[in-house]
Each structure stands twice: as structure tokens, then as C-alpha cells.
């Protein structure tokens, strides 16, 4: 009977709403007749009139019809295509307020999934950027045509319309300049542009990456076929117009897929890699190598990891989900031994090469799942003191959590890009006799809803 009494919200319905908080994707969250309503673009404490766009079983989605009482922290987004593009979600919120709201997103996750709140939750303030613009070192823009003009950008929110993003204000200026110039070269030389609907044409995507410390730029043209018409002319024009581009590659992806890169990469000009530095560490970046997108905040994030690990030079560390080894190598000078693992063989090759390049002889890497490699090491009598985990959005694998609980390390430093899975995993560790020392949010992607968190978990 009670179930039938619940007021049915209908699509197209309009009603006033007070926004209570921000949700995990940066949208406003309000309650209408005790039911959750998500409103993109609405901010906490705003009074808005909304129109319902979609009704799901547990929540509804709505759009703003009118803002009756705007937040004092609402600002005019500096980007002219902010509303259309969807790459950023929070440009309309003052930056200081963004940092506070990101801390609150972490708080909500722990209240919901770990039943920790108030004084029980050792949550620190979010570490932000001094200048939260032009921070991204890589851009991947789809190429298309609009009235015979070559454009490069992203598909608009929920649409199949390509929006030209020529001057993105969260991108490093060098990536914007190179993309713009390459569009001009493709236009001038009349290179066929790929059309997704017809599956015809050649050039699909322009990928640019810049080394913040060196200024070197890498350019990858992603094509649907191995044949690139007037290839030599394209290379000559890039050399002439863009001397800062030190590495030019072609990647072939002819499949109908949302994945940007295909399996085959051809070296066209210059170096195969570009150089980048983080602190004292130097890295070589190949076209497909993963590297943190915001180098300035990465240094702050890794310093927080180092603080949390409290190394004295005697510890054995495990770097699970090690990728190309960056976090572990940041800690290596202060540890007795470092061991890392990852399921991607290329990442492990990069990690080994990176360790060797920095002169670390006490780092050891294996390809495979942490939850399978760890028990083997334990059998061989190798027990780690500190675990560093930086898992994907889905959180730690259940078997890895079980393995960590069995090993009982002195401390676990958990780097998370998803507060919900972090809270769930911490909850498991607390039940197994660990203690949460603190949570430190770091803003890696200003103006987006994304928040990174370092959690220090110690054995009781």
C-alpha cells in the first residue's frame, strides 16, 4: 500500500526545487516529495524551477527552467562553449567553492558507504591549484568537416554533433596551437577527413601531448587507413609551421569503435618519444604510454603519497596497479625495496625502463594481477611493509583486498579517483582491523567533477 502512495514524478513536469548538494558528476541534487532529483548546472543552496527530462526507478533527472535564487558562488563560465561541450562540469562555480564541494563529495561517499561521519571522518581540505587553467598536457580531438571547413573537437553532450574546440582553456596552450595549425595543414592540402556515418575518409583524430618541463610536443595523427595521401607534404608542412613538434606518429585505427588508438603505430618524423620530468624523475613518453594529465598537481599528489608512506629507508613497498611506475619511483629513493605489478605488458616494460633510467636497482616489476602475484611472493618469504594502490575507477579487486588483509602491512596508501569505491574498500579494511588515519582530496582536474583522494590506512 505504502508503495502506491509515493507521488509519481512525470516527464515534462515542472516544480520548484532547493538544491542541497552536488552529486558525484557535478550536478545539483534536490528532493521533490522525498524523491531525489538530479539537475545539471544547479548549485547548492540555489532555488530553481526545473522541468523533468527523465524518470528512473530511484531518481529523476531535470533541467533548469529558471533560477529563482542564484548561489553567491555562481560565476559566468569563462569558456564560450562551456554549455555545449560537456568536457568541464563546474566552470560556473567559483574555484574556492569547487574545492569545498569536492571535499563534500568525498564526505558523502564515506557517510553512505563506510558509515563514517562527523568527528569519525578525518577528512582534510582539498589541495587546489594556484592557477587552475591550461593544466592538461594532452588533447585528443575528433576531426570532422563543417561546411567544407576542417574542425576538431568533441561530440556535444548527448549528441552526435561535433563541436569545434579550438582554444580550450584547460589545455596547455601548446596543444591548442598544434591542433589549430594541423587543422590548417589538413585543410590546405585537402587531406580526406574521416566521416563516421559513411565510414569513408582518412584522418579521424588529432592527438597532441606536451612535456611541461621540456616544451617538446608529440603529434599523433589517427587514420582509418595505413595510406595517408600526400604524406611527405604533410610532414614538410608540420616541420615548417611547428618546429616545437619533436615527434610525429601515425596510428592506424580502421575499426568502428569508441577507442581512439588502433594497434599499429608508424613513426613519421623526429623522435619516437618526448621527454618529460616530474620533480627529479625523467620520463620518455611514447604515443600510447599512460601519463598523468596534470603534471603540476601530480607532483602535489605524489608528495602526499610520500608523506603518507612515512618511509625510513627500511621498508619493502608494493606498488599495485603500478602502470609505468611513476608513484613507486617517487617513493623508491626512500625505500629498501620496491616491487610493482600491472596487467599491461607495455606498462611493465616502461616501468622497468623508467626504473633503470633513474638508476634504481632495488625495483622489481612483474606482469600480472596483484592478487595472483602477492601470494607467490609471500610463499617465497617476501612480506611488504607498505602497500601503495592506485586502482581504476572500479576500486581494488576483492582478491587484492583479501590478500592485503592477510598480509597485514603496517600501512596502506590508497590513491583513488572514485570516492564511492574508495569508501567501500576502506569499509572492508576497517572491518578487518585497520584504521583510517586521514583522507586528503587533491584537485587534479579543476572545473570538472573529478576528485582524487589519498587515504592513509594503518594497522591498528
Amino acid at each position: 500500500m505504502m508503495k502506491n502512495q509515493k507521488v509519481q514524478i512525470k516527464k515534462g513536469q515542472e516544480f520548484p526545487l532547493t538544491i542541497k548538494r552536488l552529486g558525484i558528476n557535478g550536478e545539483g541534487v534536490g528532493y521533490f516529495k522525498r524523491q531525489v532529483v538530479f539537475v545539471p548546472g544547479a548549485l547548492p543552496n540555489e532555488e530553481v524551477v526545473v522541468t523533468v527530462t527523465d524518470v528512473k526507478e530511484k531518481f529523476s533527472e531535470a533541467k533548469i527552467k529558471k533560477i529563482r535564487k542564484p548561489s553567491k558562488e555562481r560565476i559566468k563560465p569563462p569558456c564560450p562553449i562551456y554549455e555545449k561541450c560537456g568536457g568541464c562540469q563546474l566552470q560556473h562555480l567559483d574555484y574556492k567553492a569547487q574545492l569545498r564541494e569536492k571535499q563534500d563529495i568525498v564526505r558523502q561517499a564515506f557517510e553512505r558507504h563506510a558509515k563514517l561521519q562527523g568527528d569519525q571522518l578525518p577528512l582534510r581540505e582539498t589541495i587546489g591549484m594556484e592557477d587552475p587553467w591550461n593544466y592538461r598536457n594532452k588533447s585528443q580531438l575528433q576531426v570532422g568537416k563543417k561546411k567544407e571547413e576542417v574542425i576538431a573537437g568533441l561530440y556535444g553532450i548527448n549528441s552526435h554533433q561535433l563541436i569545434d574546440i579550438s582554444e580550450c582553456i584547460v589545455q596547455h596552450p601548446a596543444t591548442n596551437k598544434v591542433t589549430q595549425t594541423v587543422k590548417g595543414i589538413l585543410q590546405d592540402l585537402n587531406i580526406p577527413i574521416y566521416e563516421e556515418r559513411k565510414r569513408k575518409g582518412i584522418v579521424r583524430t588529432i592527438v597532441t601531448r606536451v612535456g611541461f618541463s621540456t616544451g617538446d610536443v608529440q603529434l599523433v595523427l589517427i587514420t582509418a587507413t595505413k595510406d595517408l595521401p600526400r604524406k611527405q607534404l604533410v610532414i614538410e608542412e608540420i616541420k615548417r609551421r611547428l618546429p616545437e613538434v619533436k615527434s610525429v606518429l601515425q596510428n592506424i585505427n580502421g575499426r568502428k569503435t569508441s577507442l581512439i588508438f588502433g594497434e599499429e603505430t608508424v613513426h613519421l618524423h623526429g623522435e619516437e618519444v618526448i621527454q618529460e620530468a616530474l620533480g627529479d624523475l625523467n620520463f620518455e613518453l611514447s604515443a600510447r604510454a599512460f601519463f598523468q594529465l596534470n603534471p603540476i598537481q601530480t607532483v602535489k599528489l605524489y608528495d602526499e603519497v610520500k608523506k603518507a608512506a612515512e618511509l625510513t629507508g627500511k621498508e619493502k613497498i608494493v606498488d599495485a596497479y603500478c602502470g609505468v611506475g611513476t608513484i613507486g619511483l617517487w617513493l623508491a629513493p626512500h625505500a629498501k625495496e620496491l616491487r610493482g605489478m600491472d596487467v599491461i605488458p607495455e606498462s611493465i616494460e616502461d616501468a622497468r625502463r623508467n626504473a633503470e633510467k633513474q638508476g634504481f636497482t632495488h625495483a622489481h616489476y612483474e606482469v600480472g594481477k596483484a592478487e595472483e602475484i602477492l601470494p607467490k611472493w609471500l610463499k617465497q618469504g617476501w612480506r611488504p611493509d607498505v602497500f601503495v594502490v592506485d586502482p581504476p575507477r572500479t576500486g581494488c579487486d576483492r582478491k587484492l583486498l583479501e590478500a592485503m588483509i592477510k598480509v597485514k602491512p603496517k600501512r596502506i596508501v590508497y590513491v583513488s579517483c572514485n570516492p564511492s569505491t574508495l569508501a567501500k574498500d576502506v569499509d572492508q579494511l576497517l572491518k578487518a582491523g585497520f584504521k583510517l588515519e586521514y583522507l586528503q582530496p587533491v584537485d587534479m582536474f579543476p572545473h570538472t567533477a573529478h576528485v582524487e583522494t589519498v587515504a592513509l590506512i594503518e594497522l591498528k
Side-chain angles (χ1 to χ4, degrees), residues 384-436:
D385 306 294
V386 180
F387 267 89
V388 178
V389 292
D390 184 4
R393 288 194 68 75
T394 45
C396 282
D397 188 277
R398 195 174 48 93
K399 287 185 177 144
L400 174 60
L401 279 175
E402 286 165 8
M404 287 198 289
I405 288 164
K406 208 163 146 190
V407 173
K408 291 200 176 358
K410 278 192 291 204
R411 61 186 70 88
I412 297 166
V413 183
Y414 190 139
V415 184
S416 158
C417 59
N418 181 344
S420 304
T421 51
L422 171 66
K424 288 175 190 169
D425 289 351
V426 167
D427 191 48
Q428 294 294 309
L429 293 166
L430 297 184
K431 286 174 179 155
F434 286 88
K435 177 176 182 258
L436 176 62

Side-chain angles (χ1 to χ4, degrees), residues 93-109:
L93 179 61
D94 175 73
Y95 186 58
K96 271 205 174 81
Q98 287 184 32
L99 298 178
R100 186 195 64 229
E101 290 303 327
K102 289 189 184 193
Q103 180 194 33
D104 191 58
I105 286 171
V106 178
R107 180 181 291 115
Q108 290 175 47

Side-chain angles (χ1 to χ4, degrees), residues 312-459:
T312 62
K314 299 187 177 121
E315 290 82 4
K316 297 177 190 156
I317 313 181
V318 166
D319 180 6
Y321 307 100
C322 69
V324 297
T326 37
I327 291 189
L329 296 174
W330 202 257
L331 304 176
H334 314 278
K336 184 182 175 188
E337 191 182 351
L338 163 71
R339 292 191 179 188
M341 66 285 267
D342 200 287
V343 290
I344 299 168
E346 293 94 73
S347 290
I348 290 297
E349 278 168 37
D350 279 349
R352 285 175 182 153
R353 205 169 38 242
N354 285 332
E356 197 179 315
K357 218 166 92 185
Q358 319 301 337
F360 296 140
T361 51
H362 63 318
H364 164 84
Y365 294 98
E366 282 189 36
V367 177
K369 290 182 177 174
E371 56 273 19
E372 286 163 14
I373 292 174
L374 261 174
K376 184 181 84 180
W377 289 347
L378 289 174
K379 266 195 192 128
Q380 295 164 356
W382 192 83
R383 288 190 91 81
D385 306 294
V386 180
F387 267 89
V388 178
V389 292
D390 184 4
R393 288 194 68 75
T394 45
C396 282
D397 188 277
R398 195 174 48 93
K399 287 185 177 144
L400 174 60
L401 279 175
E402 286 165 8
M404 287 198 289
I405 288 164
K406 208 163 146 190
V407 173
K408 291 200 176 358
K410 278 192 291 204
R411 61 186 70 88
I412 297 166
V413 183
Y414 190 139
V415 184
S416 158
C417 59
N418 181 344
S420 304
T421 51
L422 171 66
K424 288 175 190 169
D425 289 351
V426 167
D427 191 48
Q428 294 294 309
L429 293 166
L430 297 184
K431 286 174 179 155
F434 286 88
K435 177 176 182 258
L436 176 62
E437 284 297 322
Y438 65 77
L439 295 163
Q440 176 61 71
V442 180
D443 188 22
M444 295 292 280
F445 300 100
H447 316 295
T448 74
H450 188 103
V451 57
E452 203 96 6
T453 312
V454 177
L456 172 59
I457 301 139
E458 296 194 332
L459 202 55

Side-chain angles (χ1 to χ4, degrees), residues 204-220:
R204 291 179 81 149
T205 314
I206 299 171
V207 180
T208 54
R209 171 145 64 180
V210 60
F212 269 48
S213 64
T214 57
D216 292 354
V217 182
Q218 184 172 59
L219 166 66
V220 187

